[in-house]
Amino acid sequence: MSELGDRLAQRLGELRGRPVQVTRLEQASGGASRETWFIELVTSERLVLRRDPPGLARPEGMAREAVVLDAAAEAGVPVPRVVDHSIDESVLGSPYVLTEHVDGETIPRRLLRDDRYAAARSGLARELGRAAARVHRIAPPEGVPESDPLEQLVADYDALGDPIPAVEIAFRWLRENQPSESGRTLVHGDFRNGNLIVDPSGLRAVLDWELVHVGDPMEDLGWLCTNAWRFGSPLPVGGFGELDDLFDGYAEIAGVRPDPEVVRWWEVFGTTKWGVICRAQAEQHLSGAHPSVELAAIGRRVCEQEQDLLLALGIPEPEPPKQVESPASDLHGRPTAAELIAAARDFLRDEVLAGAEGRMRFQSLVAANVLSTVERELRLGAEQERRHRARLEELGFADRAALAAALRVGEADPWKQDVAALLWSEVSDRLAVANPKHTEARTRGGNGA
C-alpha cells in the first residue's frame, strides 16, 4: 500500500479507536483541480477522498466544502455523508474531505446514452430543479465568498493576457443585458452533469462543492444548461431534459418559477466562464505550476465555447471555410511529421490503452487526443494561418489581439457581415484542428446554447 494508504489507515484507526486496514486505493481518472481517490477497507466499507493536489493546497476551500456538505444534508440535498475532514497537511499530505461512497454513475456519456438510465433520465430535469431549490434554501455558512461574478470573470480573463474575440463579444452582451438579481442565496457553483451521482432510480448525490458561494440562484440553473455540460445531447438541461421540467421542479420547492430569460443570461455567462476556465487551466501547465497533459489539452477547448457563444448571441454565420491540407515538405521525406504523429497516436490507442487502467488509461486517452490535434494542425495549419492573416489584414487588424480590443470598445461590430465572417472563419478553423466533432454534434442537433 502507498504512503497515502498508510496515512488513511492511521487516521481512520485514530477516529474509530481500532486498527483499520485499507485494501484498495485508486485515483479517479478525471479531476484537473482536485484529486479524487476511491477507498475500500478490509470490512468492504467504501469511502471517497477528495484532496488538494500536494503542493497546491487551498485549505479555506476544503474546509468550506466540508461545512457546506453537512448543511446540504440537513437541507435535504442528496450528498455523500462526511466521515472526516482536515486542513492539516500532515494528516493526508494536503487538505481533504473524506466521505462515504454513494453507489451510482457519474460519467455523463453513460448517463445520457445507456439504456439502464432511461427511466432516471425521464425525470431527472425535474429532480435537479428540486435539488437546486433545496441548495438555495441553505443558510450560507460563515466565510462563504461573495463577489460580482461578471466583474470577477473579466478580471480573471484579463489576467491571462490572451484576448479572445468571442469572449469580448460575450462580455459586452452580458453587461448590456444583465438582469436584476433573482435573490442572494447559497450557490453550488458547479451544478452540472458530471458532478452528479445517478442510479437507475434517479439522483443519488450532488458532488464537488468547491466553488460554493453566495450569489444569484439562477447561476446554478444557467450553468446546468450550458452546452458544454450537455455532452452532445440536444436536450437543454444537462442533456437530460427540457427547461419546463427543470422550472417545474424548482417551483415545487422554491414556490417561484424561474424566469427563462434570466436563466438564458446565466447560460451565456456559463459558456463564457467555461471558455475562460479552459484557458486558465492551460495556463497552470504553461506556467509550470502544475504540469499536466490534461490541463494542456483543455486549453484547446476554448474554441468550442467560442462557437457556442457566436451561436447563442446570434452572430450571422456564413458558409464555413473549406479545409485545405498543406503540401508535404520534400526536405524531410516520408513519413511526414503528421504521419509520425499519427503513428504515435495509434500506438497509444491500440497498444498502451489496451493494457492501461484507471487514471493511466484516462491520461493515455488524453495524450492520444492531443496527438490527433497536433496531426490535424500539421496538415491544415499552414493554409489556415495564411487565410487568417489575410482576413485580418483585409479588415485592418494587425492580429487577433487587435480584433479583440476593437470588439471590447465597440469599434468592431460583430453583427456586421464582414466582421461576423472573420469571427466565424477563425473559430471554424480552430475547431477543425482542436475538435471537429464539436461542429459535427451541432449538425446532429446536439449543440446550440
Side-chain angles (χ1 to χ4, degrees), residues 129-364:
R130 290 193 289 263
R134 289 190 176 99
V135 170
H136 302 153
R137 295 174 70 176
I138 299 170
E142 185 177 351
V144 173
E146 181 175 4
S147 63
D148 183 317
L150 180 54
E151 294 311 312
Q152 183 61 57
L153 184 60
V154 173
D156 292 343
Y157 163 80
D158 284 342
L160 293 169
D162 186 7
I164 303 168
V167 169
E168 296 288 359
I169 301 167
F171 283 146
R172 285 187 63 84
W173 185 90
L174 289 166
R175 282 184 168 132
E176 291 169 2
N177 294 276
Q178 190 162 11
S180 300
E181 283 192 348
S182 303
R184 298 296 284 176
T185 70
L186 192 77
V187 175
H188 179 281
D190 203 6
F191 189 76
R192 63 174 177 85
N193 191 3
N195 286 338
L196 311 170
I197 298 179
V198 177
D199 72 7
S201 67
L203 180 66
R204 293 293 310 282
V206 179
L207 305 175
D208 293 1
W209 294 71
E210 63 186 277
L211 299 179
V212 67
H213 60 277
V214 172
D216 188 324
M218 294 302 99
E219 179 181 348
D220 276 338
L221 301 192
W223 186 244
L224 173 63
C225 296
T226 297
N227 186 57
W229 314 127
R230 301 177 199 169
F231 296 91
S233 168
L235 297 174
V237 183
F240 296 117
E242 301 291 350
L243 287 169
D244 280 344
D245 292 327
L246 175 71
F247 297 163
D248 287 346
Y250 192 90
E252 284 180 33
I253 304 300
V256 60
R257 188 177 176 82
D259 182 335
E261 287 304 309
V262 175
V263 174
R264 179 177 180 268
W265 187 92
W266 282 107
E267 184 183 332
V268 174
F269 174 88
T271 302
T272 310
K273 178 181 176 180
W274 181 233
V276 174
I277 289 174
C278 287
R279 182 59 185 84
Q281 290 190 336
E283 193 61 28
Q284 292 185 47
H285 168 81
L286 295 169
S287 68
H290 190 188
S292 160
V293 67
E294 182 181 1
L295 292 176
I298 286 173
R300 287 297 184 99
R301 296 194 60 187
V302 174
C303 58
E304 297 173 20
Q305 317 322 310
E306 292 180 78
Q307 185 189 70
D308 290 348
L309 286 171
L310 296 182
L311 286 167
L313 299 177
I315 306 301
E317 180 181 6
E319 284 294 316
K322 182 180 179 181
Q323 298 301 325
V324 179
E325 296 200 10
S326 305
S329 168
D330 62 359
L331 173 62
H332 300 289
R334 302 285 298 275
T336 63
E339 289 166 339
L340 286 170
I341 290 290
R345 174 202 63 203
D346 292 344
F347 168 74
L348 275 174
R349 286 182 175 168
D350 298 340
E351 299 190 42
V352 175
L353 278 169
E357 296 180 353
R359 185 164 181 79
M360 180 55 68
R361 178 177 175 79
F362 175 78
Q363 297 285 7
S364 297

Side-chain angles (χ1 to χ4, degrees), residues 46-175:
R46 290 181 294 166
L47 304 171
V48 176
L49 171 71
R50 276 172 54 77
R51 70 169 185 170
D52 290 327
L56 295 173
R58 293 167 294 169
E60 298 83 3
M62 194 61 80
R64 184 165 54 241
E65 185 169 349
V67 171
V68 172
L69 277 170
D70 285 337
E74 292 180 9
V77 182
V79 292
R81 188 182 73 83
V82 175
V83 173
D84 184 38
H85 65 93
S86 177
I87 61 172
D88 184 350
E89 296 184 40
S90 69
V91 180
L92 297 182
S94 63
Y96 69 90
V97 175
L98 186 65
T99 69
E100 291 181 343
H101 182 277
V102 177
D103 288 333
E105 182 59 76
T106 61
I107 297 175
R109 297 187 192 282
R110 292 180 186 170
L111 293 175
L112 294 175
R113 293 163 176 75
D114 195 324
D115 290 342
R116 185 180 179 213
Y117 303 104
R121 284 194 295 271
S122 66
L124 200 53
R126 185 182 294 266
E127 203 169 0
L128 290 171
R130 290 193 289 263
R134 289 190 176 99
V135 170
H136 302 153
R137 295 174 70 176
I138 299 170
E142 185 177 351
V144 173
E146 181 175 4
S147 63
D148 183 317
L150 180 54
E151 294 311 312
Q152 183 61 57
L153 184 60
V154 173
D156 292 343
Y157 163 80
D158 284 342
L160 293 169
D162 186 7
I164 303 168
V167 169
E168 296 288 359
I169 301 167
F171 283 146
R172 285 187 63 84
W173 185 90
L174 289 166
R175 282 184 168 132

